[in-house]
Structures are given as C-alpha cells and as structure tokens.
Amino acid sequence: MKEEMSSVDIKYIVEELKSLKGARIDKIYHDGSEIRIKLHKAGEGRKDLIIEAGKRIHLTSYIREAPKMPSSFTMLLRKHLSGGFFDNIEQHDFDRIVKIRIGNYTLIAELFRKGNIILVDENNIIIGALRYEEFKDRAIKPKHEYKLPPARESPIEVSWERFLELIKSENVEIVRALARKLNMGGLYAEEILLRAEIDKKKKANELSEDDLRLIFEKMKEVFNAPKKPNIIYKDGTMIDVVPIELKWYENYEKKYFETFSEALDEYFGKITVEKAKIERTKRLEEKKRQILATLRRQEEQMKGFEAEMKKNQELGDLIYANFTFIDNLLREFSKAVEKLGWEEFKKRIEEGKKAGNKIALMVKSIDPKEKAVTIEIEGRKIKLYLNKSIGENAEIYYEKAKKAKHKLEGAKRAYEDTKKKLQEIEKLIEEEMKKELKVKKLEKRKKKWFEKFRWFISSEGFLVIGGKDATTNEMVVKRHMGDNDLYCHADVHGAPHVVIKDGQKAGEKTIFEACQFAVSMSKAWSEGVYSADAYWAYPNQVTKKAPSGEYLGKGAFMVYGKRNWYHGIPLKLAVGIINYEGEDLVMCGPVDALKAHTKRYIVIRPGDLKKSELVKKIKKIFERWGYKVAEEDIMAILPPGEGEIVEVVE
C-alpha cells in the first residue's frame, strides 16, 4: 500500500495547487509530522492545505483535532505567516521538494525519507524547522543557509542525448536503470516499459538505440499525460493513488476524481482516520491482548489440572481394582527389602527380568530414598510405597486428585473473572470507537453561485447580491447585473454595489430592503453609525465611463441620471437559517426579509462586541436551535466591524 507521494505525484499536485495563489493564510496548526494551513480564497471560501513531512501535500477535508497547546513550531509559523498571502508554489527539479512562497518567506516541504518542513526568509536563511538535523553536506538549523540536497536528473527536462548518456552504459536491468537514474521510481519505470513493450529484465546496455529511442518517447508521453486522478483498489482495498491513467493498473478496480487533491485526500484521509482509530484504542487493545494471553494460560492450566485429577483418580481406583494382587505384592516386596536390603533387592529384580519372571518384568523403577517401587499394571505405571498399606497408597492418589480438583475449581473461577475483564475491555473499545473521532471529514456542500457575494432573499422572494471587495463589486455590476435588474448603493464611501435580480418586477418593500442592506454592509456599520442614506437606479445608468480627466479604479462605477433616494435608513440586520431551493442556508439581511422566511432569527446592529465574539454568540444560539454552523460561515455573511445582538426571536 502506498504511503508517500512520488515525484510524479508532486508534479501534478503542484500544478493543481497553483490555483491557491492569492489565498490568505488564516491559521496554521501542527501535530506530529503534519502541519495544516487554513486558507481563505476570495470567492471560494475556506481551503485546508495539509503537509506531512516525508509523505504528502494536498488540500484536505479530513481535519484532525488541534492540540490544546500550540507547539513552538506552530507559534513560529503563525507569527511569520498568518495574514500573509499564498504567492506561489513550485516543485524543485522534479524532486520530492515543494516550495511555497508567502510574502517574504518560503515554506519548504521535504517529502523524501523522514522529511521536514522548513521556513526560510527572503535571503534563504532558516528561521525554523519541524526538526533540526545535520548532514554531511548541509545543516537544518536556525540562522544557517538552507541548502538543497544534491540535484537528481529530471525525466521531464532530460534531453535525448543526456538520456542516452545516462542509460546506455548501465549494466543493470532497464527497469532499475530508469528508476534510479531518472528519479521516477519503480511504478513509472514499469509503466514506460509496458507502453514500449520492452522486457523490463533486459540489461540497459544490451538494448538497441531504437529501443532506447522508443523508451525515451514513451517516457515523455507518460510524464505529459493528461490528468485523470484515480484510486486503485485490489479486492476492495485501496493500494495506490495516481494522477494519470496507467496501463499497469489496467485490470484493477478504480475510482476517479475531478482533482488530484480530492483523490489524495480520500486515500490518505482514510488512512489518517484508521490510524486515529488505532491510536485511540491502542492502550485498550494492548490490555485486551494481555487478557487474551492470560485466558490462554488459564485454559492450559485447567486442562493440566483436569488431566492430573483424572489420572490420580484412576490410579487410586486401579489400586482397589487390583486389591488382592497389589496387597500381596506390597507385603512380598516389603519382606524382601527387609531381608535383603535395597541394593540386593534391586539386583534380584534385574536377574528376575532376565529370567523372564512376570512379577520382576512389572517393575519399572526402584526408589530406595522414597522406599517406593513403580510397577506397570493394565498399561498404567503406578508408584507404590512399601512402608504404607494398600489403603494408604490409594489415599495418596485420591488426595492428589482432590488437590487437582481444588486447583481446577480455583482456575475456573479465575478464568470466569478474566472473561468478565475481557468483556469489560471490549465494551470500552466499542464505546471508544463510537466516540467522535479526533479526525473528522469536513463535508463541504457545493455553494450556490451567489454565495461568493453578500446576498439575501427579500421578503417578496427576490435575490439581492452585493460586493464584498473591489473584485466582487466589479463582478456584481459587470457580470451579474442584467437589463431587468435594479442597482442600489449607499451614500457612504466604500459601500458595496448591490443588485436586485429581476428587480424591475420587485415592489417598494424589496427595494427598501436592498437599500437598507447596502447601508448596513458599508463602512457605516464599523463606524458605529445608526442610520445612512441610499438610492436606487436602473442598470443603464451605471457605467465604468469616468468624467473627463478622471480615472475609475477596480470596483468603482459612475451613476448618471436620476437617483431615487431613501434617507435616514436604520443600520439593522437579522441573521437566521432559511430553506432556499431545498437547502438550509445561513442568511444575513434586513429583519423583514428574515421574518418572511423563518420563524427564528437574531437581530443585530452596530455595537461594541468584537466580530469574533458576536460570531461565537450567534453560533451558540444556532446550536440551541439544532444547527451546527462553522464560525467562518457566520463570519463571512456578517457586516464589517463590531456589533451587538438586539433581539433573539424564537
């Protein structure tokens, strides 16, 4: 099963991650060998970039619970990178090294061997790293210059002449020559030779120039193949994730994805979840293993006690079953020992065996120290003590059987106690598995087109949209304002451009609500103003054409002709959950608009409560109502600046 990304994987993911350019660094988390960078991309919302040293880099929806106490490395990264912008990302020389430029800093992800994550400044001097190390040719330490590992040949950039020079003289199998000399790994070396229909076991120096030319062409074909991300399954189990269609996996089950990040996230994310489950129950599983080992030992003990009890019971019974014979034997042997002594007795027995005497042949051993003789009768060996009566001899075995029985009963009780412990530990494991994982998957719903803007649905059911910044203001007017719409704007510097879709069919109530939205979403809110003026106009009055000698910047427009004014509009909005087109959406708009679409809403106005605190309060109210809404989703729809809750309608 694949455990880390290859150079080829990195080539394709880096191309994909270039789409993050311009995203703002919101927060950074660190746990073990992983860092997660929470970003915000204008018009697209939250993005989470995961980097695991030595293994992977991609966008993720599998979010591990952040450690309660941020590490020193977390604090260092946050200090230098938070609030910065994702400027660029590149792969170094087809190696497993990725560089991310954020302002004057570069974050370097080393994805080979144990790996590392290193922060350097504009002069390539190390500020900090996930781990500090020293090698023969470079040191990863603060205030040292960051040096790259020795360069390796790239199969993408290598020329035909250089390819020949590298491969032609190699006295090894062609598959090994490609994998080693051109930094591509075994899988892609196999794929190239499969496409070229050349035996991978042939020695590189035995191939003709035509064969090598074909391999070179197929290599270029593979590394320029169109992206088709997929996860490979064997017998229902994931075994690989690749960015392109591979002939090598032609007959395997596959699952295709729109982006390579999604494929990598599904693959590594599931591994992460499984690891989290294993890690969480590790101690309990170890305890379970110990209990199972104890049970096995107790089972063996019980078998031993049972066998001992049975054996001694049977030997006691055997004595009584042969009472007369054994009683006579004991008397005769005792007299012989008393008369001859043990040494002579042993000698006579040995002589009797040689002569074929039946009684002598029954004797298997003689123990003068214990004054005992072991005989074999009915196929069983039994030790008889000559200084004891037949009853006393039988009692010795019955007593042993009794002791074995007591031990067996004790062992059975201990066994039942251990079984209870096993059931308890299994219950604990089951309960632990039911608990919410420390790794959760963010299920991101596909946002509606208008959610990249400020928006609300009016009390009369009209969609109203407004810009969030210069870029989205430009988009609202240029891209989304049609001939049948209406345009609204507040008489406040920096106010959003607001458009009522199909607004020429709207009533006075919707137009007023749109104007109230325009003043409430303007800078007037952050300035603590309680009322402001706004107007509406027709789309053909709004233009990018500036008066002579003036220039209109990005997001700025001129309005010519009559403006229809509303004066002294109160800055007041409401927040709630509405159902629109079959989906529950968090909406912030005029109070009457919320009242028309939901029975429960929160009325807000400019105030002294920090926006982050206001968000937390709104989130708690939503949770009380049974809605789990991310803080960032609430933050995105609220007006700029501080505020306060005026009323909660339930």
Side-chain angles (χ1 to χ4, degrees):
M1 191 180 194
K2 180 176 189 163
E3 291 190 355
E4 69 268 334
M5 293 173 70
S6 68
S7 296
V8 183
D9 295 335
I10 292 165
K11 169 191 179 290
Y12 280 90
I13 197 63
V14 164
E15 286 170 8
E16 218 174 77
L17 293 177
K18 287 185 186 294
S19 65
L20 290 175
K21 284 182 184 178
R24 188 186 74 251
I25 312 299
D26 189 358
K27 209 156 188 182
I28 299 169
Y29 304 92
H30 165 225
D31 189 3
S33 294
E34 293 179 5
I35 67 162
R36 176 167 57 88
I37 305 173
K38 186 179 167 188
L39 304 120
H40 185 272
K41 183 79 190 288
E44 295 178 32
R46 174 178 176 172
K47 306 277 183 182
D48 286 88
L49 180 69
I50 188 103
I51 304 171
E52 186 175 358
K55 291 191 181 295
R56 58 183 175 135
I57 178 170
H58 56 84
L59 293 176
T60 185
S61 58
Y62 286 89
I63 307 301
R64 188 191 292 271
E65 188 180 298
K68 290 179 182 178
M69 287 295 292
S71 68
S72 56
F73 188 52
T74 310
M75 300 310 291
L76 180 138
L77 292 177
R78 287 179 183 177
K79 176 186 173 183
H80 294 284
L81 304 181
S82 290
F85 289 88
F86 192 108
D87 293 327
N88 195 25
I89 183 169
E90 63 181 11
Q91 178 184 19
H92 173 72
D93 283 351
F94 199 70
D95 210 339
R96 288 190 289 166
I97 297 173
V98 178
K99 294 180 176 182
I100 301 169
R101 188 160 53 78
I102 301 165
N104 293 327
Y105 303 100
T106 301
L107 194 63
I108 301 165
E110 295 187 346
L111 304 176
F112 52 86
R113 293 191 293 276
K114 274 198 310 182
N116 211 334
I117 300 167
I118 303 130
L119 181 68
V120 301
D121 65 14
E122 66 270 31
N123 299 313
N124 205 35
I125 301 299
I126 296 169
I127 297 170
L130 186 66
R131 65 175 65 89
Y132 297 119
E133 301 172 296
E134 197 159 351
F135 303 98
K136 184 182 176 182
D137 50 359
R138 64 191 193 116
I140 307 297
K141 289 182 177 180
K143 298 182 181 178
H144 282 63
E145 183 183 358
Y146 174 74
K147 290 180 181 177
L148 290 155
R152 300 174 73 185
E153 204 75 45
S154 165
I156 293 173
E157 296 174 3
V158 69
S159 66
W160 163 241
E161 291 75 20
R162 178 64 177 152
F163 176 82
L164 266 183
E165 184 187 333
L166 288 167
I167 304 297
K168 195 173 182 181
S169 61
E170 285 293 301
N171 187 30
V172 293
E173 294 166 351
I174 182 62
V175 68
R176 290 169 65 191
L178 287 175
R180 290 177 183 178
K181 288 289 183 178
L182 288 156
N183 191 24
M184 66 177 70
L187 174 64
Y188 287 93
E190 299 260 13
E191 176 69 16
I192 290 160
L193 295 169
L194 191 62
R195 292 190 187 198
E197 297 181 353
I198 287 173
D199 184 356
K200 66 180 184 179
K201 292 183 179 178
K202 279 190 175 180
K203 293 284 182 73
N205 59 5
E206 291 173 3
L207 292 170
S208 68
E209 195 163 307
D210 286 344
D211 286 339
L212 291 171
R213 171 66 76 174
L214 180 58
I215 292 168
F216 179 77
E217 288 169 359
K218 291 298 177 183
M219 181 181 74
K220 294 294 181 182
E221 178 187 287
V222 167
F223 294 128
N224 288 288
K227 192 171 65 173
K228 199 171 182 182
N230 59 97
I231 292 176
I232 317 297
Y233 293 83
K234 185 178 181 181
D235 301 326
T237 302
M238 297 186 303
I239 59 166
D240 205 348
V241 55
V242 291
I244 60 175
E245 193 80 84
L246 294 180
K247 194 175 177 68
W248 182 259
Y249 288 130
E250 201 168 34
N251 299 316
Y252 286 74
E253 182 192 342
K254 296 170 192 172
K255 182 180 177 182
Y256 293 93
F257 294 82
E258 193 175 327
T259 68
F260 192 30
S261 251
E262 287 170 343
L264 289 164
D265 191 35
E266 180 79 3
Y267 183 87
F268 285 110
K270 283 188 174 176
I271 291 172
T272 302
V273 167
E274 286 308 309
K275 279 182 181 174
K277 285 180 182 176
I278 291 164
E279 192 60 37
R280 197 174 56 188
T281 59
K282 200 173 180 180
R283 185 183 59 81
L284 293 173
E285 289 288 356
E286 181 55 39
K287 187 74 176 169
K288 182 182 173 179
R289 278 193 292 275
Q290 289 171 4
I291 292 170
L292 285 169
T294 302
L295 279 175
R296 283 193 293 272
R297 283 197 303 272
Q298 288 172 333
E299 284 168 359
E300 289 302 313
Q301 279 179 341
M302 286 191 296
K303 283 178 187 174
F305 293 145
E306 197 164 7
E308 190 181 343
M309 181 185 76
K310 187 181 176 186
K311 173 191 165 187
N312 285 293
Q313 180 72 38
E314 288 175 352
L315 290 174
D317 292 345
L318 188 64
I319 289 171
Y320 278 109
N322 295 274
F323 188 91
T324 304
F325 175 76
I326 293 174
D327 191 37
N328 288 333
L329 200 64
L330 280 169
R331 278 200 294 270
E332 290 301 319
F333 281 175
S334 294
K335 283 178 187 176
V337 168
E338 193 177 339
K339 183 180 177 182
L340 302 170
W342 282 101
E343 285 304 314
E344 186 61 27
F345 175 72
K346 282 172 76 176
K347 187 179 175 184
R348 296 282 179 95
I349 291 292
E350 289 303 316
E351 287 171 355
K353 283 182 182 181
K354 288 174 185 176
N357 182 279
K358 285 184 180 180
I359 298 296
L361 287 168
M362 288 175 70
V363 177
K364 298 301 172 187
S365 66
I366 296 169
D367 187 351
K369 193 175 180 182
E370 287 197 347
K371 299 175 182 177
V373 175
T374 300
I375 65 167
E376 186 175 321
I377 187 167
E378 295 181 17
R380 306 289 299 275
K381 287 180 182 178
I382 184 164
K383 195 171 190 178
L384 299 171
Y385 296 88
L386 303 187
N387 59 345
K388 295 184 187 298
S389 68
I390 188 169
E392 288 172 329
N393 268 287
E395 190 58 34
I396 288 169
Y397 291 105
Y398 287 139
E399 190 60 35
K400 284 181 180 179
K402 197 187 290 182
K403 283 180 181 177
K405 187 181 178 184
H406 286 316
K407 286 179 183 178
L408 177 61
E409 287 168 355
K412 280 181 177 177
R413 286 193 296 273
Y415 183 75
E416 289 304 316
D417 288 342
T418 307
K419 275 175 73 176
K420 282 179 187 174
K421 286 179 185 175
L422 179 64
Q423 288 166 359
E424 286 168 7
I425 211 83
E426 284 177 338
K427 190 179 177 183
L428 284 173
I429 290 169
E430 190 181 340
E431 286 171 359
E432 200 66 32
M433 294 299 278
K434 283 178 183 175
K435 287 180 188 175
E436 192 175 339
L437 282 173
K438 286 184 180 178
V439 179
K440 61 180 180 179
K441 191 173 192 300
L442 289 181
E443 298 295 346
K444 291 191 178 180
R445 116 185 123 75
K446 191 175 180 182
K447 291 195 173 183
K448 298 185 181 295
W449 70 269
F450 54 78
E451 289 185 86
K452 67 175 69 172
F453 307 108
R454 298 197 181 279
W455 66 277
F456 76 95
I457 308 299
S458 79
S459 54
E460 296 174 329
F462 290 86
L463 172 64
V464 180
I465 60 171
K468 288 183 172 183
D469 50 30
T471 301
T472 49
N473 269 326
E474 193 92 9
M475 288 169 71
V476 163
V477 175
K478 276 188 165 183
R479 234 185 259 180
H480 295 286
M481 186 168 71
D483 294 339
N484 296 319
D485 300 340
L486 284 182
Y487 170 85
C488 303
H489 194 59
D491 190 25
V492 178
H493 178 70
H497 298 300
V498 175
V499 169
I500 307 169
K501 295 303 295 173
D502 217 14
Q504 292 182 36
K505 294 179 184 176
E508 186 76 20
K509 199 170 183 186
T510 291
I511 298 171
F512 178 80
E513 286 168 7
C515 287
Q516 186 178 34
F517 189 69
V519 298
S520 297
M521 289 296 181
S522 73
K523 285 184 179 177
W525 185 285
S526 57
E527 289 166 1
V529 176
Y530 282 96
S531 67
D533 302 335
Y535 64 87
W536 66 268
Y538 292 100
N540 59 10
Q541 293 176 246
V542 184
T543 178
K544 198 74 180 169
K545 190 177 178 183
S548 180
E550 291 185 27
Y551 168 74
L552 294 177
K554 189 176 184 180
F557 292 86
M558 287 298 296
V559 179
Y560 294 97
K562 184 186 175 185
R563 303 182 185 193
N564 302 280
W565 288 93
Y566 287 99
H567 298 286
I569 303 172
L571 274 73
K572 186 190 282 188
L573 294 171
V575 186
I577 312 283
I578 69 156
N579 191 275
Y580 183 71
E581 295 180 346
E583 286 190 66
D584 287 335
L585 306 179
V586 188
M587 184 174 96
C588 180
V591 177
D592 286 346
L594 267 295
K595 195 185 290 184
H597 298 291
T598 181
K599 291 177 182 177
R600 297 186 291 195
Y601 53 89
I602 303 153
V603 182
I604 59 172
R605 69 178 181 188
D608 298 325
L609 198 63
K610 282 184 179 179
K611 193 174 179 180
S612 59
E613 293 303 314
L614 183 61
V615 166
K616 283 184 173 71
K617 286 196 170 189
I618 292 169
K619 185 186 178 194
K620 281 186 180 176
I621 295 168
F622 282 161
E623 284 173 354
R624 196 170 74 226
W625 292 347
Y627 296 103
K628 195 170 183 179
V629 184
E631 286 186 14
E632 66 221 42
D633 291 340
I634 301 170
M635 183 76 75
I637 62 164
L638 293 183
E642 298 171 345
E644 65 179 0
I645 294 173
V646 178
E647 185 184 4
V648 178
V649 178
E650 299 188 76

